[in-house]
Amino acid sequence: LEAIRLGVDALGFSGHSPAGGCGDYALKDVQGYYECVSRLKDKYSDKINILLGIERDIYAYDDNHDYDFVIGAFHNLLIDGKFFHTDRSPEVLKEGIDELCGGDGEAFAIRYYDFVKDVARITGCDIIAHCDLVTKFNGDGENKFFDVRSEAYLAAAREAIEENIKYCKLFEINSGAMGRGWRKTPYPDSAILDIIHDAGGKVTFGADSHAKETLLLGFDQAEELAKKHGFGNLTRLEIK
């Protein structure tokens, strides 16, 4: 209803798939979600084009539903049977960095990208989500845990992006962390956008909105970033 009020002509739902390590932000009832959005799609078809999607983590459980689109994602490192979380809180991230990498945030980020490189291949996605999610609590330019301009960090990111582009060229510019107060700018970071552009990737915008109040948050900034980093076009999914 908020999207209709705002004059939005299309709205994509993308609930988190149930997946190992994803905990309380994953869907509890996938069938119920699928049926609910399908009903909304029919009910409001004369007012808005609703797309039924899913954000599929690399650890997602089997799901045979037919979605309009899939966002591929990675959130938590699985090392020796234990999950190390990138987006729970700064404290949880630091605990993981300390335990897994002896306090070396850059080493943790590099290991993060070792998993990111498999997102598109494993999930079969149409869009790659927040590919530098590990920066969520890094201080938005303050480099609290690692330097986002270091050669080793950017090399790991480049390798992951180039591997994903073999399977999916479309990356989202995601403003979700802005809506939750953790960043003032969208993902990905500027240097990562340069890598995506140079590797032949494309971009779309996603609010990753968990509340109607942030439905279009950050889209103006996303557009500015896309233009600044050489993207001449925005890719938009159309379901006929």
Side-chain angles (χ1 to χ4, degrees):
L1 291 175
E2 179 68 3
I4 293 169
R5 187 188 71 80
L6 291 170
V8 173
D9 63 350
L11 175 66
F13 285 92
S14 54
H16 285 270
S17 62
C22 287
D24 56 6
Y25 55 80
L27 290 166
K28 303 298 187 293
D29 178 6
V30 175
Q31 182 63 29
Y33 164 76
Y34 192 90
E35 292 174 357
C36 177
V37 178
S38 296
R39 288 194 301 271
L40 293 172
K41 180 185 292 196
D42 291 340
K43 181 175 181 179
Y44 295 103
S45 60
D46 61 332
K47 295 182 176 65
I48 191 168
N49 180 25
I50 291 178
L51 285 70
L52 172 49
I54 194 80
E55 181 174 333
R56 183 176 292 157
D57 192 274
I58 66 169
Y59 303 126
Y61 306 138
D62 290 341
D63 177 2
N64 295 320
H65 291 89
D66 184 21
Y67 294 102
D68 293 329
F69 68 100
V70 173
I71 299 178
F74 171 69
H75 298 84
N76 310 302
L77 290 72
L78 180 59
I79 308 290
D80 296 332
K82 180 175 180 177
F83 285 104
F84 294 87
H85 304 281
T86 62
D87 67 336
R88 289 280 174 91
S89 70
E91 294 76 21
V92 170
L93 177 62
K94 186 178 186 308
E95 288 173 4
I97 290 171
D98 290 346
E99 180 177 346
L100 187 62
C101 299
D104 186 338
E106 181 176 281
F108 185 94
I110 289 170
R111 296 196 73 168
Y112 162 85
Y113 283 111
D114 281 340
F115 289 87
V116 171
K117 70 177 61 171
D118 290 326
V119 165
R121 179 183 63 82
I122 291 175
T123 66
C125 60
D126 302 292
I127 305 168
I128 297 169
H130 44 56
C131 64
D132 62 344
L133 181 64
V134 72
T135 66
K136 180 175 181 177
F137 303 122
N138 202 40
D140 203 13
E142 296 177 18
N143 294 324
K144 288 183 177 180
F145 297 109
F146 54 89
D147 182 357
V148 296
R149 296 296 185 273
S150 82
E151 291 185 10
Y153 171 81
L154 291 176
R158 182 176 295 107
E159 182 180 356
I161 288 164
E162 290 176 349
E163 183 63 26
N164 275 287
I165 282 178
K166 296 176 183 178
Y167 303 91
C168 177
K169 295 182 182 298
L170 185 56
F171 292 75
E172 67 167 359
I173 299 181
N174 178 315
S175 58
M178 296 171 64
R180 289 179 276 287
W182 291 113
R183 288 177 62 104
K184 296 178 181 178
T185 57
Y187 310 107
D189 180 78
S190 290
I192 304 299
L193 283 171
D194 284 337
I195 293 170
I196 293 170
H197 177 268
D198 293 347
K202 302 177 180 181
V203 293
T204 192
F205 302 159
D208 199 348
S209 180
H210 292 209
K212 63 182 177 64
E213 290 79 10
T214 55
L215 197 59
L216 300 178
L217 180 69
F219 277 27
D220 288 346
Q221 286 166 273
E223 183 176 352
E224 290 175 7
L225 277 172
K227 290 177 178 177
K228 178 181 177 181
H229 293 279
F231 295 97
N233 297 286
L234 172 72
T235 299
R236 170 175 159 145
L237 298 180
E238 295 281 358
I239 306 301
K240 302 299 184 182

